[in-house]
């Protein structure tokens, strides 16, 4: 299953200091893994929540540096995008995988697939036995929907103020972290439901 | 994009003060008390979520607000369900009363409530109760329940499988195995959603059921799978999708490899299953269920117990998917899905074959045919990796020749697809996970290290972690020397790969293009051989090339290309791993060869700032270690070491390495380390070092030239003193020099040392050595201690054991 999906900032942004990374949306699926492990039993709920937030922040920072290094190596110039060019933005996006070793920060080894769309990073933390080909397709699909429905290429703050839209999107396309084999008909049917929700 | 507005929103949410927050809470409670929950309520709930999630510290909600939110979990409006679940997930765990409330009021567990319960589960018991609740809903479902209510069941179960598979009892597993068989194999084969056949004269009576179609538009002739389409879908077709999506994980979790006593077990089981089959409540006996074209042997499967039956059906499903993936899909997204389905199908087949080895003979023809179909098309590379895994797991049993598979995976993929980050990740992971199998069954994989290193040369930051794990296995006595050369030249490989890609993309002549010189060189036939050597796929054609420095000159402008710089930054770490491994597998002869390589390559490296210095540092560290482990190496390689140490220029350009070479010469060039060490050898070494020391400390150096590092001077002095202590004729010469040194420096500053403190340190050391050498035998025991002193085993040696000595002394001195 997918353990975590997050959206965060990448690359230097005028609103943030250099190297700082802001998590705009994060969703961890399933129970807190520290609850069921033998160690860390003495943590109270506030500490567990703090630990989980820190883990998400670690993932965001890792992806942030992966995106930065990848863009530096490829030497591509970032082109300014405006709302309406979501499909183009995705085609131009950088993508890759980061391997997280066991314990750093999750109990088991994880593979983080990421997409870098201008100054936004979309990351999906998958268990290594997952079908990464399917995960990649799902990540691209989710990113496109997020960019479109939340107008993320524009200067607005809908990603913060309308996060329930992402929740609904995930509940259809990645329910409880489950990757789905959806052909275009199934996908259409789910996307219609999502669009109906967004219209309200 | 992220703007100042968004940043200030987050800051506000984090810094909201307690009074304002309490006001917000009470306003929200009032809103939630209203009959109609409109836009303002939704907005406020959204803001509440932002306030709670923006900070990593937990806030507490007033209990009335919590109760209101809990009641929203069962709201008919999805948005309210979503928001309340999201808010409550940011809160501390639910109390027992709250859990009871949910049990009683939320009725059938909806998706958002399940998400909340999962996320707040505190123990395995909590997960078990969610599991039991879900499966109860699965077993006895009222017929009036809405169509989508079952959909989230399997994803939630999959989550529980991931974290706590013991939560499912044997009965649960049996129940689910049967349902999965139903959904996977016996889902409806007509289109759902009341699709009509589309004929002109259709009325409600003539609405015939329309069969499902394949991705290429043809009517489907077999059972329903994820690669079938229709205008609308029935519920069991949806469950088919969800079932297949979790099938692999299910099989991995609950179907472990069966051990040897299978015949008795199956005999017993088939007796049991005969009685089972009469009470089998699945749909295989239902009229109209499709007899699959895929497997004609399905009739006997009715007698299998549920787990084995599921395995058989999974097998059939995967076979069908492989056949369906050969069709030309009409939409691009479906083509991508076909690839993903192929990967999944092969993985599942691998899994069931591991569990039941008899399936291997049925499966291999399909896998072989698939390999034949796809091996020529590089766009299917990621599908060929699971196929390679299958060959690795079962090839030996089926006595199939796997050579062509390894040639493809290790020979072709890295050479042509090194720039695909996903393939790199998956291929290296494949290698990592199966390392032992490869070392036993396919040991020749180490010969492909030049190809594998291409991944590292292209995208070092992403894959260096994998190579930290893989590199030790690539270090073998046969590959060690060539591997060292290749690692040192990895930045060159990086540049070459860039040039290779550029030369295929860019036109022949590009005015003012970047990298023009090196690109010209790349295309120049007279330099072809150099670049081809870099791009070789297999080891064995030579350790390195003669014209290496020519190559470095041609690639000089690549030294500031970001990809090359990133690559260069990872080499020191990998070299450490290389050397740490090589000392465990190499014999002395090989280590001697490696010392030569280090000395030779110290001046033949691509000129990237700080790269050369870092490499020298690694060399120095490991030269020291190797000589410490095998002191006779120094005598063995004394000729080359002296040659290196005799060049005054090395003092300045390779200070670190020079210092260490001089040190090992001083320390290990002695008879106690190697009996072949003769007086003449010691004398010639002495003379070489003396000459260098004279030259670098002569007053003849013009002012303004760089000074030698003080450490070099002191190391030279110490080395000379050590050598002299072994051959006492040399002592007068050293003493003379040291006293001259004292005289010269008393006069004030010297040309070869700019810092006064350093000068004082050098002079002090000189004086210490001089006074030590006044008593030759003392000097010998201090400067050339015998091994039993330098490797103390106080606790083991009865003659020298400290406790014994102390006890003896005590008993002697204390009156009885």
């Amino acid at each position: 299953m997918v353990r975590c999906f997050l959206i965060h900032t990448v690359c230097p942004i005028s609103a943030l200091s250099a190297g700082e990374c802001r998590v705009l949306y994060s969703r961890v699926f399933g129970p807190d893994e520290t609850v069921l492990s033998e160690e860390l039993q003495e943590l109270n709920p506030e500490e567990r929540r703090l630990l989980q937030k820190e883990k998400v922040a670690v993932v965001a920072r890792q992806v942030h540096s992966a995106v930065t290094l990848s863009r530096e190596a490829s030497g591509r110039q970032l082109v300014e995008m405006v709302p309406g060019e979501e499909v183009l933005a995705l085609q131009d996006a950088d993508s890759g995988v980061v391997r997280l070793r066991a314990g750093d920060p999750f109990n088991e080894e994880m593979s983080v697939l990421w997409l870098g769309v201008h100054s936004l990073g979309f990351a999906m933390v998958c268990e290594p036995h997952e079908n990464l080909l399917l995960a990649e397709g799902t990540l691209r699909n989710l990113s496109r929907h997020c960019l479109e429905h939340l107008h993320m290429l524009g200067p607005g703050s809908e990603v913060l103020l309308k996060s329930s839209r992402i929740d609904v999107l995930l509940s259809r396309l990645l329910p409880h972290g489950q990757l789905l084999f959806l052909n275009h008909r199934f996908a259409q049917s789910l996307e219609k439901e999502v669009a109906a929700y967004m219209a309200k | 994009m992220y703007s100042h507005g968004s940043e200030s929103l987050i800051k506000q949410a984090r810094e909201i003060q307690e009074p304002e927050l309490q006001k917000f809470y009470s306003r929200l409670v009032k809103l939630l008390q209203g009959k109609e929950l409109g836009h303002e309520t939704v907005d406020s709930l959204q803001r509440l979520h932002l306030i709670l999630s923006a900070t990593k510290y937990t806030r507490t909600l007033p209990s009335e607000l919590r109760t209101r939110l809990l009641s929203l979990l069962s709201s008919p409006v999805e948005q309210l369900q979503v928001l309340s679940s999201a808010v409550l997930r940011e809160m501390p765990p639910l109390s027992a009363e709250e859990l009871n409330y949910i049990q009683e009021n939320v009725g059938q567990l909806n998706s958002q409530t399940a998400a909340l319960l999962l996320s707040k589960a505190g123990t395995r018991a909590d997960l078990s109760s969610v599991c039991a609740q879900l499966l109860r809903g699965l077993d006895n479902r009222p017929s009036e329940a809405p169509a989508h209510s079952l959909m989230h069941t399997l994803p939630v179960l999959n989550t529980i499988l991931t974290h706590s598979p013991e939560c499912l009892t044997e009965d649960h597993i049996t129940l689910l195995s049967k349902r999965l068989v139903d959904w996977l194999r016996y889902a409806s084969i007509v289109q759902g959603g009341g699709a009509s056949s589309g004929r002109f004269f259709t009325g409600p009576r003539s609405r015939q059921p329309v069969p499902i179609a394949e991705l290429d538009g043809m009517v489907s002739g077999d059972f329903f799978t994820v690669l079938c389409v229709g205008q609308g879908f029935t519920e069991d077709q949806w469950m088919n999708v969800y079932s297949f999506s979790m099938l692999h994980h299910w099989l991995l979790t609950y179907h472990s490899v069966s051990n040897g006593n299978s015949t008795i077990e199956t005999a017993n089981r088939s007796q049991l299953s005969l009685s089972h089959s009469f009470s089998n409540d699945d749909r295989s006996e239902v009229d109209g269920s499709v007899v699959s074209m895929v497997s004609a042997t399905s009739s006997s499967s009715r007698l299998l117990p549920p787990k084995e039956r599921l395995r058989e059906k999974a097998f059939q499903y995967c076979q069908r998917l492989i056949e369906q993936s050969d069709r030309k899909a009409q939409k691009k997204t479906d083509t991508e899905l076909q690839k993903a389905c192929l990967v999944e199908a092969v993985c599942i087949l691998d899994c069931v074959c591991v569990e039941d080895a008899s399936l291997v003979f049925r499966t291999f023809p399909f896998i072989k045919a698939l390999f034949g179909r796809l091996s020529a098309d590089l766009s299917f590379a990621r599908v060929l990796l699971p196929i390679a895994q299958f060959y690795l797991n079962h090839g030996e049993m089926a006595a199939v020749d796997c050579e062509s598979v390894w040639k493809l995976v290790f020979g072709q993929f890295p050479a042509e697809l090194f720039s695909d980050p996903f393939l790199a990740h998956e291929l290296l992971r494949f290698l990592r996970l199966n390392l032992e199998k490869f070392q036993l069954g396919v040991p020749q994989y180490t010969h492909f290290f030049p190809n594998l290193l291409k991944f590292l040369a292209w995208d070092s930051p992403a894959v260096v972690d994998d190579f930290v794990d893989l590199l030790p296995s690539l270090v073998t006595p046969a590959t060690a020397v060539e591997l060292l050369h290749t690692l040192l030249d990895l930045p060159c490989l990086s540049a070459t790969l860039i040039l290779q890609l550029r030369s295929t993309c860019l036109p022949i002549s590009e005015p003012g293009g970047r990298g023009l010189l090196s690109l010209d060189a790349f295309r120049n036939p007279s330099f072809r051989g150099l670049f081809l050597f870099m791009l070789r796929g297999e080891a064995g054609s030579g350790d390195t090339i003669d014209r290496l420095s020519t190559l470095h000159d041609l690639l000089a402008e690549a030294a500031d290309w970001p990809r090359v710089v990133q690559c260069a930054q990872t080499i020191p770490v990998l070299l450490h791993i290389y050397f740490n491994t090589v000392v465990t597998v190499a014999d002395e002869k090989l280590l001697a060869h490696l010392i030569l390589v280090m000395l030779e390559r110290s001046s033949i490296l691509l000129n990237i700032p700080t790269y050369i210095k870092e490499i020298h540092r690694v060399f120095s560290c490991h030269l020291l270690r190797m000589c410490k482990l095998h002191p006779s190496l120094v005598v063995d390689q004394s000729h080359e070491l002296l040659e290196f140490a005799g060049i005054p220029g090395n003092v300045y350009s390779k200070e670190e390495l020079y210092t260490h070479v001089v040190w090992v010469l001083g320390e290990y060039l002695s008879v106690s380390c190697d009996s072949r060490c003769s007086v003449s050898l010691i004398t010639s070494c002495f003379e070489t070092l003396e000459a260098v020391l004279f030259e670098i400390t002569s007053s003849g150096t013009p002012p303004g030239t760089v000074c030698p590092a003080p450490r070099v001077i002191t190391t030279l002095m110490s080395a000379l003193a050590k050598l002299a202590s072994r051959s006492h004729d040399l002592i007068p010469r050293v003493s003379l020099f040291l006293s001259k040194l004292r005289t010269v420096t008393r006069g004030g500053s010297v040309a070869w040392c700019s810092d006064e403190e350093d000068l004082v340190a050098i002079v002090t050391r000189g004086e210490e050595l001089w006074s030590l050498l006044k008593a030759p035998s003392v000097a010998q025991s201090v400067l050339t201690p015998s091994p039993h002193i330098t490797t103390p085993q106080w606790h083991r040696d009865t003659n020298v054991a400290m406790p014994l000595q102390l006890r003896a002394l005590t008993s002697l001195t204390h009156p009885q």
Side-chain angles (χ1 to χ4, degrees), chain B residues 249-315:
Chain B
H249 193 200
W250 176 269
L251 292 173
L252 281 175
T253 313
Y254 288 121
H255 290 224
S256 50
V257 181
S258 50
N259 5 28
N261 16 317
S262 46
T263 39
I264 308 172
E265 271 187 16
T266 39
N268 287 342
R269 256 190 258 133
S270 53
Q271 278 203 342
L272 282 172
S273 64
L274 271 174
S275 52
H276 239 282
S277 65
F278 294 117
S279 59
N280 237 354
D281 50 352
D282 69 36
R283 292 167 50 185
S284 53
E285 290 97 352
V286 170
D287 278 329
S289 72
V290 181
V291 174
S292 172
M293 319 257 174
V294 172
S295 170
T297 57
S298 53
S299 50
S300 58
S301 68
R302 233 177 276 166
L303 300 174
L304 294 171
K307 253 188 176 176
E308 281 71 6
R309 195 131 186 280
L310 177 58
R311 198 195 310 150
E312 176 65 32
K313 298 304 173 190
F315 181 82

Side-chain angles (χ1 to χ4, degrees), chain B residues 30-56:
Chain B
K30 269 209 200 66
L31 280 172
L32 290 173
Q33 280 167 345
K35 283 265 185 269
E36 281 292 315
L37 301 177
H39 280 283
E40 207 191 330
T41 319
V42 170
D43 271 341
S44 305
L45 281 171
Q46 194 74 80
R47 271 177 205 275
L48 176 63
H49 180 249
L50 180 60
I51 291 171
L52 295 173
S53 62
T55 166
K56 54 189 183 185

Side-chain angles (χ1 to χ4, degrees), chain B residues 337-357:
Chain B
L337 183 69
Q338 282 175 319
K339 276 193 198 160
C341 283
L342 277 174
V343 169
E344 192 82 354
V346 175
C347 289
I348 293 177
L349 286 173
D350 186 27
C351 188
V352 302
C353 285
V354 165
E355 199 189 342
D356 180 359

